[in-house]
Structure formats: C-alpha cells, structure tokens
Amino acid sequence: MPYLVSSIIAVVTALIILMTRYEADDSAITQEIERAKSMFITIDEFANTYIQSGGDMTKINFEQLFDDGILLGNMTKDIPTSTANVKVTAGAIADKSFTATLEFSNSKIKWQIVPIVEYKINDYKNVEIDLGKSVGAGYQLFIDFSKEGALKDRNPFSENFLGREFCEKIFFGSFINNATSISSSTGTLNQIVTTSGTSSDGKIACVVFK
C-alpha cells in the first residue's frame, strides 16, 4: 500500500509539473502573439499615415517612413541612413532604403516593409497571386521571428497563427508561409523570396492590399 500511495503521489506530482510547464509555455506564446499583433497593427497604421499624407506606395519602406517623421523617434534599427538624417530617394541608384528593417523595443522580431511590385507568387494554399494588378495599392511585409524564442519554439503554430489570424483575418492580406527574405537584387527587387522556405523556420510574409 505505501508503495502504491507513493507511486500515485509521484504520478500526480509529475502531472502537476507537466501542466504547470505547459501553462507557462502557453502564457509565454500568448503574450508574444499579442505583442506581435500590436506591432503588426502599429506598422499598418504607419502605412495608413503614409498614405493619408500623400506618400507614394511604390516607394514605401522604413527608411522613407523614418525620413517622413512617421516612425517613432527610437525606431532606427537597421535603417541605413537614418543615423545621419540623410534623406533618400527610394529606388534611386545605389539606394538601400528598401532593405531597411525595424525592431520594436525589447523584441527580437524583425520587420521589413516594401512596395508591391509586378510578379506572381503562391500563397500558403498554393494559390497563385498576380501582384501586377496591385502595384501601388498596398505593401508587402516580411516578418522574421526566428530569434524570438517563445514564437520560434512553437512552430509551425506561430507561423500559421500570425499568417491566418492576423495577415488574413485582420488585414485581409495574402499569407506567404514559406517566405525567406525580400529580394534586393536587380530584376527581382522587392519580390518575396521563397527558395528553401518552410512553414517552421520562423519567417513569413504578408501582402496587404489598400
């Protein structure tokens, strides 16, 4: 009997520890998802402000938003010329503004916003999207959370949730689950790259139409 009781206690203790651990994990993932949602909404509001102030959507990027005074003052992460307050002309020769990325305070999620350009790409349902019809009428957002532990540890859940619940349902966008980067090469500039992309690498893209 003592052996049976001790065995039951051991099992119950193990279950409590296991449940506690998963509750903690769920709490962490929920918190990070909510933070990512608020960041996504904030970036979309930056884009809306840019549009309302007469910005050219064929030139949208974080460097341009910074130069126009739309970004908050502490948002200068990997924005090529902002530290010198040098304004750029998006798309000009040797311009690197489209490669500008943004990270919010205390977050390891990296964001990159670029214009919609003329090309075709498949969404996560493998449905082909002809973006040539939407040039100047929206933006492409690349999201890299591969270094944000709570989100990365729960892939592919995180990718699907961010893509379907935020990109599709909140912003009515097209979710690209196998995105790996945004091209900075001549000929494919600002196209979403999907080569070797997976649904569990912590990188996605969303095409938002305005």
Side-chain angles (χ1 to χ4, degrees):
M1 182 63 71
Y3 174 76
L4 178 60
V5 172
S6 63
S7 296
I8 293 173
I9 291 174
V11 170
V12 171
T13 302
L15 285 173
I16 291 173
I17 294 172
L18 186 62
M19 290 173 68
T20 302
R21 179 169 63 83
Y22 276 108
E23 286 176 1
D25 286 347
D26 290 343
S27 176
I29 187 70
T30 299
Q31 181 179 13
E32 287 305 322
I33 283 176
E34 284 301 312
R35 290 184 68 203
K37 178 181 178 181
S38 66
M39 294 175 202
F40 207 142
I41 291 173
T42 299
I43 289 172
D44 189 65
E45 285 303 313
F46 289 155
N48 289 337
T49 301
Y50 180 69
I51 293 170
Q52 292 163 10
S53 61
D56 183 350
M57 287 300 286
T58 65
K59 297 182 178 180
I60 189 170
N61 60 72
F62 282 128
E63 169 71 55
Q64 193 68 57
L65 296 181
F66 181 88
D67 287 344
D68 290 351
I70 294 172
L71 294 189
L72 301 179
N74 62 342
M75 294 181 177
T76 59
K77 182 70 175 180
D78 291 334
I79 297 178
T81 62
S82 61
T83 54
N85 289 320
V86 177
K87 291 193 174 184
V88 298
T89 301
I93 295 175
D95 168 44
K96 299 295 182 182
S97 64
F98 290 125
T99 65
T101 59
L102 180 69
E103 290 181 30
F104 288 79
S105 179
N106 299 318
S107 173
K108 295 181 181 178
I109 302 176
K110 185 175 289 188
W111 307 79
Q112 182 181 357
I113 191 170
V114 297
I116 293 175
V117 293
E118 186 173 357
Y119 72 114
K120 295 178 181 179
I121 192 170
N122 291 350
D123 66 9
Y124 77 101
K125 297 176 183 177
N126 204 33
V127 175
E128 185 179 81
I129 308 168
D130 184 358
L131 292 177
K133 302 175 182 179
S134 302
V135 173
Y139 62 84
Q140 301 177 102
L141 189 64
F142 177 66
I143 309 165
D144 181 354
F145 58 88
S146 59
K147 294 183 180 179
E148 187 64 69
L151 294 177
K152 184 66 171 68
D153 291 345
R154 295 292 292 272
N155 263 325
F157 168 79
S158 296
E159 290 200 12
N160 285 327
F161 196 92
L162 293 176
R164 297 183 186 185
E165 297 300 318
F166 298 167
C167 177
E168 285 194 323
K169 293 185 179 180
I170 296 179
F171 299 102
F172 304 103
S174 293
F175 167 39
I176 315 299
N177 69 328
N178 59 340
T180 58
S181 64
I182 298 288
S183 175
S184 59
S185 301
T186 303
T188 58
L189 181 64
N190 293 333
Q191 294 184 13
I192 296 170
V193 179
T194 59
T195 306
S196 301
T198 71
S199 60
S200 59
D201 57 7
K203 299 175 182 179
I204 64 172
C206 180
V207 184
V208 179
F209 305 96
K210 293 291 186 181

